[in-house]
Amino acid sequence: MKLFLDTAIVSDIEDRKPTGLIAGVTTNPTLIKQSGRDPWKVYRDIIELGIDDLSIEVMGESSSDLISNGLNVNENYGNVATVKLPCTVEGLKACKHLTTIGIRCNMTLVFSVSQAILCALAGATYISPFIGRMDDNSLSGLSLIADISKVYKKQFINTIILAASVRDVQSVGKAFELGADICTIPPKVFDNMAKHVLTDKGLEQFNRDFLE
Ligand code: E4P
């Protein structure tokens, strides 16, 4: 059970890394755009914080474009970089190639068990089922996690289920219960995980009693 942060805002990672609870970071082109910064500088800054597993999404129409962009990421950032590829036929071909030469791949935009099966067969290190986007479309993201987990367990698959597009604290607990190995979460969800109104209330009382 691990938590990754899903953000391209370096200060968000810097603020939370000292907890020792962040095992990696995931980014995507939208998060990079929202950061308003040059992607390569963002990646470099995140790595300099000591993050040792950073998913970097590569773009391209064909598997050869995706492979060459993945190799470029690997040359620049070495083993810290996990190449994030779309779950398409071209992405699967690229995954097969890159994993064969020892490069970790995170297959993104996974919305079905059949896609998860193909990603596993392509040797993906991670698959990222997007649970929030499933829910946005009246599908159950958490059921997808459970279904993929059942198939992977039954078939002794090592591909790691990285629950993505997680929008709230409750989904984190549920995703782990249903078989996710990792949840990648926005910084706000990470902060909210530590909060409970009864913790605050209890602590206020303890502080008062301690000082009396
Ligand atoms: C992570 O890998 C995904 O890119 C991210 O979780 C997507 O989240 P969203 O659906 O909230 O944009």
Side-chain angles (χ1 to χ4, degrees):
M1 186 173 71
K2 288 182 183 172
L3 289 174
F4 283 11
L5 275 187
D6 192 30
T7 182
I9 306 293
V10 176
S11 60
D12 278 351
I13 303 162
E14 194 172 17
D15 290 347
R16 290 156 185 87
K17 187 161 185 304
T19 59
L21 304 176
I22 309 296
V25 170
T26 52
T27 59
N28 65 38
T30 306
L31 293 171
I32 293 288
K33 185 180 166 196
Q34 285 165 0
S35 78
R37 298 186 61 212
D38 174 60
W40 299 98
K41 288 187 180 152
V42 171
Y43 303 141
R44 179 55 58 201
D45 286 354
I46 294 174
I47 291 165
E48 277 174 7
L49 292 177
I51 293 295
D52 50 23
D53 190 339
L54 170 63
S55 279
I56 297 177
E57 192 152 346
V58 295
M59 306 301 287
E61 289 294 312
S62 63
S63 59
S64 52
D65 287 347
L66 292 166
I67 290 167
S68 83
N69 292 332
L71 290 172
N72 187 28
V73 159
N74 186 257
E75 272 156 29
N76 276 281
Y77 305 117
N79 204 35
V80 177
T82 296
V83 176
K84 206 171 175 193
L85 295 161
C87 186
T88 59
V89 171
E90 296 308 302
L92 288 162
K93 284 191 218 165
C95 175
K96 186 82 183 165
H97 181 89
L98 292 171
T99 53
T100 304
I101 56 172
I103 296 176
R104 281 194 312 275
C105 293
N106 173 359
M107 298 305 287
T108 191
L109 293 165
V110 169
F111 294 96
S112 71
V113 173
S114 59
Q115 287 180 312
I117 291 169
L118 294 177
C119 293
L121 292 174
T125 300
Y126 302 115
I127 52 155
S128 291
F130 275 34
I131 64 177
R133 292 195 197 185
M134 295 273 292
D135 296 343
D136 291 344
N137 287 279
S138 307
L139 298 162
S140 171
L142 288 168
S143 301
L144 176 64
I145 298 288
D147 293 345
I148 295 171
S149 174
K150 264 186 239 154
V151 173
Y152 278 12
K153 281 204 171 77
K154 195 111 187 164
Q155 298 296 328
F156 306 101
I157 299 297
N158 292 326
T159 297
I160 294 164
I161 303 173
L162 201 177
S165 185
V166 177
R167 310 266 173 77
D168 55 69
V169 168
Q170 287 73 22
S171 299
V172 178
K174 275 285 166 198
F176 282 131
E177 180 190 331
L178 296 170
D181 302 293
I182 304 175
C183 287
T184 187
I185 54 176
K188 197 171 176 347
V189 174
F190 179 77
D191 297 344
N192 287 342
M193 284 181 75
K195 290 184 189 158
H196 198 286
V197 64
L198 293 178
T199 305
D200 295 343
K201 202 176 161 200
L203 190 59
E204 268 172 39
Q205 181 70 51
F206 286 158
N207 276 328
R208 271 197 304 273
D209 294 344
F210 177 72
L211 293 170
E212 269 173 20

